[in-house]
Every structure is written in structure tokens, then in C-alpha cells.
């Protein structure tokens, strides 16, 4: 399994009621009948797909089967190695360190370090899956979601990548459902809103609610309210060294 923590160690008592776990059993039966690879996914994975589709077995099974098909192609060896995305890592677009006040691992994404003219879309999509897998390995026991800060300081038209943004959203929403907890967008330049309007229709309704635009005047208070001082990076006026 590529989601990090060994959730098989969790008991069903960690969350969810009997009716929810009954739905998981139903989903497993449907999915395994169509793709034996579903047997490799634990109940917590199946539960996330169910929640993402409001417990509709038909829709959840279709989503799960599409994930299994994608996984075979995107991660034929079970995971994506550092070597496969070394060029993307070198661009230093993402830092993963610290936790928010809810115990969710944090990712800090720097939009101005991304240049679509220099990226290969397939390589970028591989890197997105790599990053999502990496942050999920940092999930503590009992936690299934991560949080992120997207810092757009210095972002300009040279950094705008609608195709890349939509591809990243599709991977996260389709293959890592119910993993995202909250995203703070900070230092947002006015020109970014034109790009946001183009991307917004591709975001599902549940995910839309997780994006929070933070005005510069509210930045310090918002981050300190969500992230403990010991876990907030120095560049945002606190103590954590990235």
C-alpha cells in the first residue's frame, strides 16, 4: 500500500460506526469481484473512497477501480523512487515538515518556483504522486489527512500553469480522496485570481471548502491559530527550521 502508515494496525474503533464499516464490506465485495488487486487495499482506504462518494457503493467502486488501474501504470513497482523524480525534487518547490494543531502533517508549496516552460507534464504528474505519497508517510496513527500552505509570493505569469494545476488536482481528488484537510493560500497576487477562476470548476465541492485565501493583514494570526509556534517555520515568524 502506498499511503504511508500501516493502517491495518488501527482498530475499527478509531472512527466510523457499524453502518459505515458495513458499507466498507459491501464495497470490498463489489471491487474485489472486478479487480482482485482491491484485496491489497485495507479497510481505511476503502472507507476514504466511500466518504468521497457519499457512501454510494456504485460510485465508490468505480472510483476505487479507476485508482487501482492508475496505480498499476503510475507506480508499477509499488512506489515512486527519489531517483525517478530527482530533477523535480531539485527545484525545491515543496517542503514537508511540522504539524498543524490537529496533528496533520504540513506541506509548504512555493508557487513561484514552478515554471511550466521547463516542465514535462508526465514528469510533473509523477512528482505530484510522489509528494502525496511522501506526506502520507508522515501521518501519525489515527490521522488520515494532511494540511498545506501554498505560498504565492513572487508568483507571476511565468509561473502560471493551468494544465499542471488541473492535473495535480485530478490526481489528488481521484486517487488520494479524503486526504486533504486544509490549504491556506498566502501572499496571493491579484493576477493569480484569473488563473484560479480557470481552475476552480475542476475542483469538487468538498475540496473547494478546504481552500482558504488569507489576506496579508491576517496572515500571522491565521497561521498561528492553525499551527503551533513550535511547528511554524521561521520564514513566517516562528521557530521551525525547514
Amino acid at each position: 500500500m502506498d499511503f504511508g502508515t500501516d493502517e491495518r494496525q488501527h482498530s475499527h474503533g478509531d472512527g466510523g460506526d457499524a453502518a459505515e464499516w458495513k458499507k466498507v464490506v459491501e464495497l470490498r465485495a463489489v471491487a474485489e469481484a472486478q479487480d482482485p488487486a482491491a484485496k491489497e487495499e485495507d479497510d481505511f482506504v476503502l472507507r476514504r473512497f466511500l466518504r468521497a462518494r457519499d457512501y454510494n457503493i456504485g460510485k465508490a467502486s468505480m472510483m476505487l477501480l479507476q485508482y487501482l488501474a492508475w496505480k498499476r501504470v503510475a507506480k508499477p513497482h509499488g512506489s515512486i523512487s527519489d531517483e525517478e523524480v530527482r530533477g523535480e525534487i531539485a527545484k525545491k518547490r515543496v517542503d514537508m515538515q511540522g504539524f498543524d494543531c490537529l496533528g496533520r502533517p504540513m506541506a509548504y508549496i512555493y508557487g513561484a518556483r514552478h515554471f511550466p516552460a521547463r516542465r514535462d507534464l508526465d514528469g510533473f504528474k509523477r512528482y505530484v504522486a510522489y509528494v502525496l505519497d511522501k506526506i502520507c508517510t508522515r501521518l501519525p496513527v489515527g490521522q488520515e489527512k494532511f494540511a498545506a500552505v501554498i505560498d504565492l509570493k513572487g508568483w507571476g505569469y511565468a509561473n502560471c500553469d493551468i494544465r499542471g494545476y488541473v492535473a495535480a488536482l485530478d490526481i489528488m481528488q481521484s486517487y488520494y480522496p479524503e486526504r486533504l484537510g486544509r490549504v491556506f493560500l498566502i501572499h496571493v497576487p491579484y493576477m493569480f485570481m484569473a488563473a484560479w477562476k480557470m481552475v476552480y470548476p475542476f475542483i469538487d465541492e468538498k475540496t473547494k471548502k478546504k481552500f482558504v485565501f488569507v489576506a496579508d493583514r491576517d496572515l500571522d494570526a491565521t497561521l498561528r491559530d492553525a499551527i503551533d509556534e513550535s511547528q511554524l517555520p521561521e520564514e513566517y515568524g516562528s521557530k521551525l527550521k525547514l
Side-chain angles (χ1 to χ4, degrees), residues 8-189:
R8 288 183 175 86
Q9 295 176 356
H10 298 184
S11 69
H12 284 185
D14 287 337
D17 56 22
E20 184 176 53
W21 292 115
K22 183 179 178 181
K23 284 278 191 179
V24 169
V25 173
E26 292 178 34
L27 174 59
R28 180 173 296 283
V30 172
E32 289 183 4
Q34 298 180 69
D35 189 338
K39 295 177 181 178
E40 300 174 12
E41 308 299 330
D42 68 28
D43 287 349
F44 288 85
V45 172
L46 270 64
R47 184 174 70 170
R48 286 194 292 275
F49 280 90
L50 268 174
R51 288 177 172 178
R53 290 296 178 264
D54 295 320
Y55 300 97
N56 182 301
I57 297 293
K59 291 181 179 179
S61 63
M62 181 180 298
M63 187 183 189
L64 177 59
L65 292 168
Q66 289 172 343
Y67 159 70
L68 293 171
W70 168 83
K71 183 179 174 182
R72 277 190 284 269
V73 175
K75 296 185 276 189
H77 307 297
S79 63
I80 298 170
S81 68
D82 293 356
E83 191 60 39
E84 289 178 84
V85 291
R86 190 160 301 284
E88 299 291 338
I89 294 172
K91 296 173 185 176
K92 298 183 178 180
R93 288 175 297 199
V94 181
D95 279 322
M96 290 178 274
Q97 199 165 332
F99 298 82
D100 71 3
C101 291
L102 297 179
R104 299 178 295 202
M106 293 295 306
Y108 295 87
I109 302 164
Y110 302 96
R113 298 179 187 177
H114 177 72
F115 295 93
R118 305 176 193 170
R119 68 107 175 95
D120 167 72
L121 187 59
D122 287 337
F124 176 69
K125 290 193 288 187
R126 189 178 305 113
Y127 176 65
V128 170
Y130 168 87
V131 167
L132 288 167
D133 283 344
K134 278 290 184 183
I135 196 165
C136 287
T137 65
R138 298 181 55 237
L139 290 165
V141 172
Q143 179 59 260
E144 295 187 78
K145 298 180 184 291
F146 68 88
V149 171
I150 298 178
D151 191 336
L152 295 166
K153 188 174 184 178
W155 185 94
Y157 288 122
N159 308 114
C160 185
D161 186 8
I162 303 302
R163 287 186 68 196
Y165 300 156
V166 171
L169 280 165
D170 181 58
I171 290 169
M172 183 182 69
Q173 293 178 153
S174 300
Y175 310 128
Y176 296 81
E178 297 297 305
R179 282 303 200 186
L180 180 65
R182 181 65 57 88
V183 180
F184 295 108
L185 292 99
I186 67 173
H187 299 137
V188 181

